[in-house]
């Protein structure tokens, strides 16, 4: 088991690409931390630096308090599981799983019987006993991924590093294997660092999630904290499906949020935040589930109701997503209960209630800091305007 500390780590590739900028992160023993962000934000580079597969340009990396910047990957005692499984095609499942222990049998003081027992124990816990003699090509994608997991687990490493391990699986298997990884972590409690671009995977797996953009950490906090109190507009738009809606407008008469020819009455908490900010232009952030159609248009002009033109209605079974636009060209989406959409049709202009007391107010700037985020929230490393 291990702690992993990254201090002011940066990575510039030989061609001058700056992939990671000055990131600091303390990963606790037993913790499951997920690095999440869009393609190219530096997740894999960060993971590969921790694994020792990529040089660190500047900063320090410590595992269990030991400086490991220049320690070879094999001497870091961590196991990495890749998206493409990286199994040896000519070896059976058994041999794939036993390989790393057999290579270091003398060094680790293991007998063949001990290795056999370890491989079978892990294979049993992953439901692989029946396929131990098969070659990887005779396995399903899900089974291959479990062999890759098993191969990492038999080593009993200090930490697991996962690089998009579920990307090659179909949607159903992805959800099943995700649950399997969570179960394994609950049993083994091995410190885990997991990379994904999928915010749902990050939310369901992580004790903490680290949201990255352009090589910079935007927010690092438990999943619910990130969802409920996003540090800035980027995080707010990245975490949550459908994503948060953003309405650009300004504060008038100290309490109204004016956009186009409509206005919403800000609740006291948001009005106070807006007044304290000392400027008048803001972006209001509204989660789709905070919007619901109101039965009749007679609510038009009421302080917590906005008017929008419906473009598409998407039934999802238990819920419905209504895509619509306000001020002609600002797209918004509302997620509501099926029965609330009766009588509505694409093309209609309709009134929508907004639970304004749960909305967020962002700075109208490139970073878009969340001004309504409680002061008690964890500090973040948001320091970039890129
Ligand atoms: P993805 O989800 O697409 O894998 P990522 O968040 O893991 O993306 P990285 O693979 O870490 O991102 O890449 C970060 C940046 O570094 C990108 O701009 C990428 O093009 C660049 N990069 C990655 N590897 C190299 C390399 N060997 N040489 C130069 N630039 C690189």
């Amino acid at each position: 088991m291990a702690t992993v500390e990254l201090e002011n780590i940066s990575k510039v590739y030989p061609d001058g690409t700056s992939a990671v900028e000055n990131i600091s992160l303390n990963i606790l023993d037993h913790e499951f931390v997920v690095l999440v962000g869009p393609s190219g934000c530096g997740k894999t580079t960060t993971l590969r630096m921790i694994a020792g597969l990529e040089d660190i340009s500047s900063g320090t990396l410590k595992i269990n308090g030991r400086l490991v910047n220049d320690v070879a990957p094999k001497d870091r005692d961590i196991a990495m599981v890749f998206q493409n499984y990286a199994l040896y095609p000519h070896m059976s499942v058994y041999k794939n799983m036993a390989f790393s222990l057999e290579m270091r049998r003398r060094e680790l003081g293991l007998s063949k019987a001990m290795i056999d027992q370890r491989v079978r124990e892990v294979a049993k816990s992953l439901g692989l006993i029946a396929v131990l003699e098969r070659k990887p090509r005779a396995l399903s994608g899900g089974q291959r991924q479990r062999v890759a997991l098993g191969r990492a687990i038999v080593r009993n490493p200090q930490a697991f590093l996962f690089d998009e391990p579920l990307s090659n699986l179909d949607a159903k298997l992805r959800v099943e294997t995700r649950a399997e990884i969570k179960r394994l972590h609950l049993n083994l409690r091995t410190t885990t660092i997991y990379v994904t671009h999928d915010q749902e995977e990050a939310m369901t797996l992580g004790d903490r999630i680290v949201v990255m953009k352009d090589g910079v950490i935007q927010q690092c906090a438990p999943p619910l904290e990130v969802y409920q109190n996003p540090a800035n507009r980027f995080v707010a738009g990245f975490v949550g499906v459908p994503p948060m809606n953003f309405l650009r407008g300004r504060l008038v008469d100290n309490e109204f949020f004016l956009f186009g020819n409509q206005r919403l009455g800000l609740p006291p908490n948001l009005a106070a935040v807006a007044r304290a900010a000392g400027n008048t232009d803001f972006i209001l952030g509204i989660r789709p589930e905070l919007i619901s159609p109101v039965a009749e248009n007679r609510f038009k002009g009421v302080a917590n109701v906005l008017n929008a033109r419906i473009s598409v209605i998407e039934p999802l079974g238990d819920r419905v997503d209504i895509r619509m636009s306000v001020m002609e060209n600002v797209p918004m989406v509302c997620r509501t209960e099926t029965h609330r959409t009766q009588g509505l049709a694409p093309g209609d202009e309709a009134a929508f209630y907004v639970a304004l007391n749960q909305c967020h107010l962002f700075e109208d700037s490139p970073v878009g800091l969340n001004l309504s985020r409680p002061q008690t929230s964890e500090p973040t490393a948001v320091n970039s305007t890129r």
Side-chain angles (χ1 to χ4, degrees):
M1 307 295 166
T3 57
V4 180
E5 291 165 69
L6 290 77
E7 204 179 316
N8 304 118
I9 287 199
S10 296
K11 172 72 187 181
V12 181
Y13 281 107
D15 68 355
T17 305
S18 169
V20 171
E21 278 184 34
N22 201 29
I23 66 172
S24 296
L25 191 59
N26 269 352
I27 297 164
L28 309 176
D29 198 11
H30 307 302
E31 205 178 10
F32 197 126
V33 167
V34 182
L35 308 182
V36 64
S39 184
C41 71
K43 312 177 289 290
T44 298
T45 300
T46 304
L47 200 71
R48 288 174 59 84
M49 287 193 284
I50 297 170
L53 302 173
E54 207 63 75
D55 288 340
I56 296 171
S57 305
S58 63
T60 55
L61 173 69
K62 289 182 184 163
I63 297 178
N64 265 344
R66 177 170 78 122
L67 185 69
V68 293
N69 283 46
D70 298 318
V71 172
K74 68 177 177 46
D75 298 325
R76 294 190 185 193
D77 195 14
I78 46 191
M80 189 147 168
V81 178
F82 299 91
Q83 172 179 352
N84 60 6
Y85 321 129
L87 300 178
Y88 301 113
H90 57 287
M91 289 186 193
S92 65
V93 167
Y94 183 95
K95 289 218 163 108
N96 262 286
M97 287 175 65
F99 185 73
S100 64
L101 295 184
E102 271 166 5
M103 290 298 285
R104 303 177 67 192
R105 193 157 71 86
R106 290 214 172 77
E107 187 188 332
L108 299 171
L110 295 172
S111 67
K112 282 204 174 278
M114 286 155 95
I115 294 177
D116 183 68
Q117 189 189 357
R118 178 85 185 130
V119 169
R120 287 179 191 282
E121 247 171 43
V122 174
K124 191 172 169 216
S125 79
L126 291 169
L128 291 170
I129 290 287
V131 296
L132 276 178
E133 294 315 316
R134 284 199 207 163
K135 299 267 170 59
R137 67 171 175 276
L139 300 176
S140 70
Q143 286 170 326
R144 281 181 212 161
Q145 193 49 275
R146 274 187 278 144
V147 177
L149 279 174
R151 196 175 51 172
I153 294 168
V154 289
R155 289 174 46 191
N156 194 19
Q158 294 202 70
F160 290 125
L161 306 182
F162 289 95
D163 190 4
E164 304 252 10
L166 309 182
S167 306
N168 288 347
L169 307 180
D170 67 37
K172 183 164 176 282
L173 206 51
R174 212 158 49 219
V175 172
E176 284 169 16
T177 314
R178 187 173 83 193
E180 180 81 349
I181 289 175
K182 189 150 185 158
R183 182 184 66 82
L184 279 171
H185 182 254
L186 285 175
N187 289 343
L188 303 171
R189 304 302 297 158
T190 308
T191 308
T192 299
I193 309 171
Y194 187 105
V195 159
T196 179
H197 62 273
D198 180 338
Q199 59 91 34
E200 187 179 302
E201 220 168 279
M203 293 288 285
T204 51
L205 283 173
D207 294 322
R208 277 190 301 163
I209 66 178
V210 179
V211 185
M212 296 181 69
K213 176 182 174 247
D214 297 336
V216 176
I217 295 179
Q218 304 291 308
Q219 187 167 10
C220 170
L224 268 188
E225 166 72 13
V226 172
Y227 183 81
Q228 289 168 348
N229 294 309
N232 58 31
R233 254 190 83 181
F234 173 78
V235 177
F238 188 78
V239 173
V241 177
M244 187 182 278
N245 299 293
F246 297 110
L247 259 185
R248 178 170 270 118
R250 58 197 174 87
L251 181 74
V252 290
D253 297 341
N254 277 331
E255 61 174 319
F256 290 103
F257 182 78
L258 185 76
F259 55 102
N261 61 359
Q262 300 189 50
R263 62 185 202 168
L264 290 166
L266 291 178
N269 59 331
L270 289 190
V273 163
R275 284 195 296 269
N279 48 2
T280 55
D281 296 342
F282 299 100
I283 292 176
L284 185 66
I286 313 171
R287 292 249 178 239
E289 55 275 21
L290 299 180
I291 308 176
S292 52
V294 289
E296 296 170 46
N297 256 348
R298 69 189 156 91
F299 291 102
K300 228 173 167 172
V302 172
N304 51 11
V305 168
L306 61 78
N307 296 291
R309 186 166 301 280
I310 297 174
S311 48
V312 177
I313 298 181
E314 299 173 332
L316 299 165
D318 55 337
R319 295 146 297 150
V320 176
D321 283 351
I322 303 177
R323 299 193 179 272
M324 55 209 192
S325 60
V326 292
M327 293 186 284
E328 296 308 319
N329 59 3
V330 179
M332 289 190 76
V333 55
C334 145
R335 173 161 283 188
T336 191
E337 293 150 313
T338 303
H339 71 91
R340 292 190 189 277
T341 60
Q342 272 169 11
L344 295 179
D348 286 355
E349 164 123 355
F352 292 86
Y353 167 80
V354 182
L356 281 161
N357 56 353
Q358 294 172 64
C359 290
H360 296 274
L361 209 56
F362 298 92
E363 231 174 45
D364 189 357
S365 67
V367 171
L369 276 184
N370 184 353
L371 301 167
S372 50
R373 187 165 170 250
Q375 297 300 312
T376 50
S377 297
E378 286 191 34
T380 59
V382 185
N383 53 10
S384 168
T385 51
R386 288 170 59 182

